[in-house]
Amino acid sequence: MLPPTLFFLLLVSSSVLIQPFEFVRADVLPFTNYPNDFVDPDYIVARKFANTTGDAQASIISWADSLSSYGPWSVTQKPMVAPSGNKQDYMSWAPYWWPDCSSIKNTTELTPEQIWVTCPYVNRDGQFNPDRLTINDIGAFFNLSDAILYNALAFSFQNESSSVHSRNIVKFMNAWFLDSETGMNPNLNYAQMTRGPGNGQLGSHTGVLDLKGFVKIVSGILILRKRKCTDWTAEIDAQMIAWAQKYITWLETNQLGTDECASANNHGSFCFNQLAALKLLVNDIPGSVTVGNNFFQGIYQEQINSTGDQPFEAPRTHPYHYRNYNLAAMITNARLLKYADPTSDPWNHTTKAGTTIKDALDMTMTVDPNASGEGYAVAEIFPNIAAVAATYGDPDGKYVAFLAKAFPEYASDATFLWDQPLKGGSVAEVTATNGTTGSSTVAGASKRTSVALRHVVVSVFPGVIGAILVVAVVGW
Ligand SMILES: *[C@@H]1O[C@H](CO)[C@@H](O)[C@H](O)[C@H]1NC(C)=O
Ligand SMILES: *[C@@H]1O[C@H](CO)[C@@H](O)[C@H](O)[C@H]1NC(C)=O
Ligand SMILES: *[C@@H]1O[C@H](CO)[C@@H](O)[C@H](O)[C@H]1NC(C)=O
Ligand SMILES: *[C@@H]1O[C@H](CO)[C@@H](O)[C@H](O)[C@H]1NC(C)=O
Ligand SMILES: *[C@@H]1O[C@H](CO)[C@@H](O)[C@H](O)[C@H]1NC(C)=O
Ligand SMILES: *[C@@H]1O[C@H](CO)[C@@H](O)[C@H](O)[C@H]1NC(C)=O
Ligand SMILES: *[C@@H]1O[C@H](CO)[C@@H](O)[C@H](O)[C@H]1NC(C)=O
Ligand SMILES: *[C@@H]1O[C@H](CO)[C@@H](O)[C@H](O)[C@H]1NC(C)=O
């Protein structure tokens, strides 16, 4: 139930802010959860955004606001407790593992709790066991990490030292990490538990993947730091560094952590994502550089073969998904390393077979997702294309042509803000926001204007969404 004050504010904000000419503009995309990304905080705080990124900014603000309506999140919200008995321990169940009760000589149906500890569990790669959602620490962390990133970006668009968006971040970070009652313990001892009689009481190393979105959180926090956000105080920063240091120690010394980073496939790539980002969070820049170099000199070497294919992903049950998934992780590792060490050259770093991230994308672009029954997964390639085009250039226009055909709204996607330069987007649309067209101003002023105008437009949406939520909750 909503607190009365919030209820009142939503009503007020919706009645004050809704202005029809603004609301008809519908170039805000629905939220998409991308597997991972690192957004260079220096690029964001410089605020030199292309004047074609207005729609992307509008999506970002809208995503920040809609995600925030689900928070704050905490591991203590789940309806059960990890085997430790400590409600502040993170927990999830291995998504592809299923009970096989055929060998159990029960005379009646087993309760779920009995199945978890009695029946052996077997792996069916790619087949989600729906009961993994009974505990949803993972879904909460996904939303948390996206909320931190998009709220930080939304905060950065305004020239303020504090805003509703930065205050959201502090609220969410406190609830998930720092609060003495609701904060998560810095370990993943119970992530992706496989259950069953033999292995039911501990997580598996694959569970480390659950927290890959830590990169997004670190992006957001670096933005708040660099913008000298007054909500992100020295005290909360120190507390978060202390938390991250303990978690880094767990990742680097617990066998679940070390096994995950030693994985040859996407699990390893995402594990390096987390470690490299966490080292930035604790201000250990050389440590982050070492992690990045270890990735590119290590498991990356075997990940892309001479045809640009990814031999550890292609044989999986969802090869189109897994190729793009690992691409996202490789791209994120490259971005992190380039940020930590601007003199590094991860994008040109070749594998043993002489290939690069670009070769892996080019190969994946030739794959028909329908061939493996993965038509639903086609969108997973879009942010990878945008990242590669923005980084390596698009001299023959093939990347933009692919996007324009398969995803005509790509310039309204959040990633279009930081995957620049990338052709597309329309300045005219930005000026049309204010009910004017063809206004010509000097470029610098126009950039600032487009951002300011976007705030007017997008500030409509929380009110509208709020009103809809109120209707849903109260039953109008
Ligand atoms: C034993 O329990 C399993 C899991 O609940 C159930 O599928 C099966 O039908 C039960 N067997 C008998 C004989 O009740
Ligand atoms: C996460 O956000 C999605 C909307 O993007 C929502 O459907 C879901 O319920 C949220 N889950 C949690 C745990 O916040
Ligand atoms: C941002 O705010 C500061 C302090 O209020 C002001 O000096 C500066 O001119 C502002 N910058 C822009 C781009 O509006
Ligand atoms: C590259 O990997 C793919 C997928 O495993 C495989 O089909 C192909 O034969 C490999 N190519 C070479 C040259 O090894
Ligand atoms: C996959 O199949 C769907 C439905 O048949 C079709 O609309 C889509 O264009 C196909 N995708 C590709 C990349 O061929
Ligand atoms: C690859 O190396 C070349 C030559 O040093 C450089 O010009 C180019 O910018 C590099 N590519 C990327 C994507 O960094
Ligand atoms: C919209 O444009 C008009 C004319 O250029 C200007 O006077 C007005 O301040 C603008 N509104 C906003 C909200 O920026
Ligand atoms: C948008 O930016 C481009 C590139 O900087 C510039 O050439 C163009 O004049 C700008 N358009 C407007 C309307 O400001």
Side-chain angles (χ1 to χ4, degrees):
M1 206 43 211
L2 289 168
T5 10
L6 180 55
F7 176 78
F8 176 72
L9 281 174
L10 289 170
L11 285 182
V12 170
S13 67
S14 53
S15 56
V16 170
L17 290 173
I18 294 174
Q19 288 166 31
F21 82 96
E22 290 164 340
F23 187 55
V24 290
R25 294 185 40 76
D27 43 17
V28 168
L29 289 186
F31 168 68
T32 306
N33 163 262
Y34 291 121
N36 229 2
D37 214 336
F38 178 71
V39 183
D40 182 341
D42 291 330
Y43 168 72
I44 297 301
V45 301
R47 297 170 89 207
K48 298 217 171 82
F49 304 124
N51 57 18
T52 49
T53 60
D55 291 341
Q57 291 173 36
S59 288
I60 286 168
I61 297 168
S62 161
W63 295 5
D65 293 337
S66 62
L67 280 163
S68 297
S69 69
Y70 295 95
W73 301 268
S74 159
V75 293
T76 58
Q77 286 162 345
K78 62 179 165 300
M80 60 194 77
V81 178
S84 59
N86 186 326
K87 68 184 167 67
Q88 288 174 262
D89 275 335
Y90 180 96
M91 183 181 176
S92 65
W93 284 329
Y96 299 151
W97 289 72
W98 296 71
D100 174 6
C101 302
S102 58
S103 63
I104 307 301
K105 295 189 173 51
N106 50 305
T107 48
T108 54
E109 289 260 317
L110 300 173
T111 65
E113 288 80 1
Q114 289 170 326
I115 292 176
W116 301 338
V117 294
T118 312
C119 303
Y121 273 66
V122 292
N123 187 10
R124 298 188 201 153
D125 188 28
Q127 290 183 43
F128 282 116
N129 183 335
D131 88 350
R132 77 194 188 284
L133 297 176
T134 314
I135 344 172
N136 199 19
D137 283 357
I138 183 171
F141 190 81
F142 279 17
N143 282 3
L144 169 77
S145 50
D146 281 316
I148 301 298
L149 174 61
Y150 294 118
N151 273 288
L153 292 169
F155 161 75
S156 79
F157 298 156
Q158 279 173 291
N159 189 24
E160 306 286 344
S161 57
S162 168
S163 76
V164 65
H165 295 114
S166 56
R167 290 190 291 275
N168 278 342
I169 293 177
V170 168
K171 184 169 64 185
F172 298 158
M173 292 296 286
N174 269 321
W176 186 275
F177 293 106
L178 303 177
D179 185 274
S180 60
E181 299 283 316
T182 63
M184 173 187 162
N185 294 327
N187 74 72
L188 288 177
N189 294 334
Y190 306 102
Q192 294 202 10
M193 294 173 53
T194 48
R195 292 179 275 177
N199 192 17
Q201 300 305 309
L202 255 197
S204 38
H205 72 76
T206 53
V208 173
L209 183 69
D210 285 10
L211 262 55
K212 63 185 182 305
F214 231 122
V215 182
K216 299 175 187 175
I217 292 177
V218 172
S219 282
I221 300 308
L222 296 185
I223 290 167
L224 295 196
R225 280 182 186 162
K226 293 197 175 217
R227 275 290 312 279
K228 306 211 182 325
C229 171
T230 49
D231 299 312
W232 190 257
T233 60
E235 191 190 356
I236 195 173
D237 195 55
Q239 286 176 19
M240 196 55 220
I241 288 175
W243 193 101
Q245 249 143 4
K246 287 188 204 141
Y247 178 56
I248 289 173
T249 301
W250 184 92
L251 273 177
E252 291 186 327
T253 57
N254 189 290
Q255 183 149 11
L256 297 174
T258 53
D259 281 356
E260 183 71 351
C261 274
S263 306
N265 67 0
N266 67 81
H267 279 272
S269 312
F270 281 117
C271 189
F272 279 92
N273 282 184
Q274 273 196 65
L275 260 185
L278 285 159
K279 303 246 169 179
L280 294 178
L281 185 64
V282 303
N283 298 313
D284 177 8
I285 312 297
S288 184
V289 174
T290 301
V291 170
N293 285 331
N294 286 347
F295 170 75
F296 282 101
Q297 288 157 18
I299 59 172
Y300 170 77
Q301 285 299 310
E302 311 276 346
Q303 286 189 340
I304 310 165
N305 72 15
S306 64
T307 53
D309 205 354
Q310 300 176 61
F312 301 119
E313 313 302 334
R316 301 281 301 266
T317 48
H318 302 294
Y320 190 78
H321 157 69
Y322 279 113
R323 284 189 184 100
N324 280 299
Y325 203 48
N326 193 50
L327 261 167
M330 293 190 293
I331 287 167
T332 301
N333 276 326
R335 287 182 156 158
L336 282 160
L337 179 55
K338 191 71 192 172
Y339 173 75
D341 176 8
T343 69
S344 68
D345 196 9
W347 300 101
N348 279 320
H349 205 115
T350 51
T351 64
K352 221 174 68 179
T355 41
T356 63
I357 292 172
K358 179 179 185 299
D359 296 314
L361 177 79
D362 289 347
M363 186 279 156
T364 305
M365 281 171 70
T366 67
V367 175
D368 176 2
N370 287 336
S372 50
E374 293 178 274
Y376 62 86
V378 67
E380 294 184 31
I381 200 171
F382 302 151
N384 295 334
I385 294 178
V388 163
T391 307
Y392 294 89
D394 189 14
D396 53 8
K398 82 167 176 177
Y399 297 125
V400 161
F402 189 109
L403 288 173
K405 181 159 179 274
F407 183 29
E409 315 80 14
Y410 71 93
S412 299
D413 190 61
T415 60
F416 190 75
L417 178 75
W418 59 87
D419 284 327
Q420 288 291 326
L422 184 61
K423 279 211 182 72
S426 153
V427 180
E429 281 182 32
V430 176
T431 53
T433 304
N434 192 19
T436 61
T437 46
S439 73
S440 80
T441 38
V442 289
S446 148
K447 278 170 201 162
R448 279 196 297 278
T449 310
S450 68
V451 173
L453 292 177
R454 285 297 157 174
H455 278 110
V456 174
V457 178
V458 175
S459 63
V460 169
F461 286 93
V464 174
I465 292 166
I468 294 167
L469 278 177
V470 169
V471 171
V473 170
V474 182
W476 284 352

